[in-house]
Amino acid sequence: MTGVFNEEDGLELHCERKPHVSIGKIVTKVPVVLAELKLQIHVSETITFPEPVLEIKDIKKRVHLTQCRLLLPSKKLFIKGFVRKNIQYASPCSEIEMPTDKSVASDLHSFTVDVPFEQVTEIKDFLSMPVMPKNNTREEFDFVRSKSLPEGFPEKDQHISSDISQYHQESSQFYNELPYCELLSSRIVEWDEALDRMPLPGKAPFHEGYFTKIEEKMVLDICVNVLQKQQIRVASTSNGD
């Protein structure tokens, strides 16, 4: 036993060191890794800035997945998301100082944009096979009904059929476990190039210019785990250390 002092109540609480562990063959339900995939996604996008850009200083990127769906009973995996890009750039500012043939004044701004991507791939080799969904069922049944016939039919004859004024049905629903994904890692290689770069107006260094649009080409490598909660059997022979 170990003692822990509780300042609020001024009491010493005793906690057991060893938790109770069931012994034997036990069925539990845990996430099971179905596949670990390395995917490469190609993205091409045009980004328009809200003001003239003298130069890009830095770009911070973060990958977001909005959909990762294994479409059972097929092997197709649908991936959808976006890359959040925070672009820090210098914008020419004549309010600070008018440009000269040797200098250009600018101030630092940032622009955040989401670049979407999506891809469909096929899982060819499963580490563990997924539990396939069970189909819901719905079956209709009837009961026989006999009744007397009206005049014009033999007295001993009966009208035998199902009763259309009644409806009987048996249905079942299965609540299957949906596979899901974990994003493990990402790697981005990008190329950004100005589309409309022009010289600065007025008196300015000849090599300086500004632009408002860039074309971005990006190669996105991501690694994901595809998981599904499944029942598995575990064994324990002792609840000792």
Side-chain angles (χ1 to χ4, degrees):
M1 302 284 286
T2 59
V4 178
F5 187 74
N6 187 331
E7 295 183 355
E8 181 178 352
D9 299 329
L11 301 175
E12 187 177 3
L13 306 179
H14 294 276
C15 302
E16 294 185 2
R17 290 182 178 178
K18 298 180 181 180
H20 175 76
V21 177
S22 299
I23 299 175
K25 295 181 179 180
I26 302 167
V27 176
T28 184
K29 192 172 187 179
V30 296
V32 174
V33 178
L34 305 181
E36 182 172 306
L37 302 176
K38 295 180 180 179
L39 306 176
Q40 186 170 94
I41 303 172
H42 304 146
V43 181
S44 180
E45 188 80 8
T46 298
I47 298 176
T48 302
F49 290 88
E51 59 185 340
V53 177
L54 186 68
E55 67 173 334
I56 293 177
K57 308 298 290 185
D58 190 19
I59 300 178
K60 294 183 178 180
K61 300 169 288 292
R62 189 176 297 272
V63 176
H64 296 256
L65 286 185
T66 58
Q67 185 182 88
C68 186
R69 182 72 65 236
L70 177 59
L71 194 62
L72 295 177
S74 74
K75 298 180 180 181
K76 299 294 184 179
L77 183 70
F78 289 75
I79 299 286
K80 185 181 292 186
F82 61 91
V83 177
R84 179 188 185 272
K85 303 189 68 172
N86 178 260
I87 307 173
Q88 299 177 12
Y89 62 93
S91 180
C93 183
S94 59
E95 297 178 359
I96 299 176
E97 183 181 65
M98 293 299 296
T100 68
D101 56 355
K102 293 184 179 180
S103 66
V104 177
S106 62
D107 50 4
L108 292 178
H109 294 172
S110 70
F111 182 58
T112 301
V113 61
D114 294 337
V115 180
F117 63 84
E118 60 180 301
Q119 181 170 310
V120 181
T121 187
E122 182 174 352
I123 302 178
K124 297 181 179 180
D125 298 315
F126 284 97
L127 299 177
S128 298
M129 291 303 298
V131 176
M132 295 298 174
K134 295 182 180 179
N135 297 325
N136 296 337
T137 61
R138 186 169 56 187
E139 297 179 347
E140 180 183 346
F141 59 93
D142 291 307
F143 293 101
V144 67
R145 179 179 180 181
S146 300
K147 63 179 180 179
S148 301
L149 292 169
E151 293 183 2
F153 292 91
E155 182 179 353
K156 294 183 179 179
D157 287 348
Q158 294 279 321
H159 177 215
I160 303 175
S161 180
S162 59
D163 190 351
I164 62 174
S165 66
Q166 297 180 0
Y167 182 80
H168 311 278
Q169 185 185 79
E170 178 183 356
S171 61
S172 61
Q173 294 80 38
F174 293 93
Y175 305 96
N176 303 286
E177 287 289 349
L178 186 67
Y180 61 97
C181 295
E182 290 180 345
L183 181 60
L184 302 180
S185 63
S186 64
R187 175 177 175 266
I188 296 175
V189 179
E190 66 177 300
W191 173 282
D192 296 326
E193 185 174 16
L195 295 177
D196 57 349
R197 191 172 190 270
M198 300 177 61
L200 287 173
K203 192 176 182 181
F206 72 93
H207 57 84
E208 296 292 348
Y210 71 95
F211 57 89
T212 59
K213 293 182 180 180
I214 61 172
E215 183 181 43
E216 176 186 68
K217 292 179 174 62
M218 183 165 54
V219 177
L220 171 62
D221 295 312
I222 61 174
C223 185
V224 296
N225 270 352
V226 184
L227 304 100
Q228 183 188 41
K229 287 186 178 180
Q230 295 182 6
Q231 291 183 346
I232 63 172
R233 187 184 299 277
V234 296
S236 176
T237 57
S238 171
N239 59 0
D241 291 337

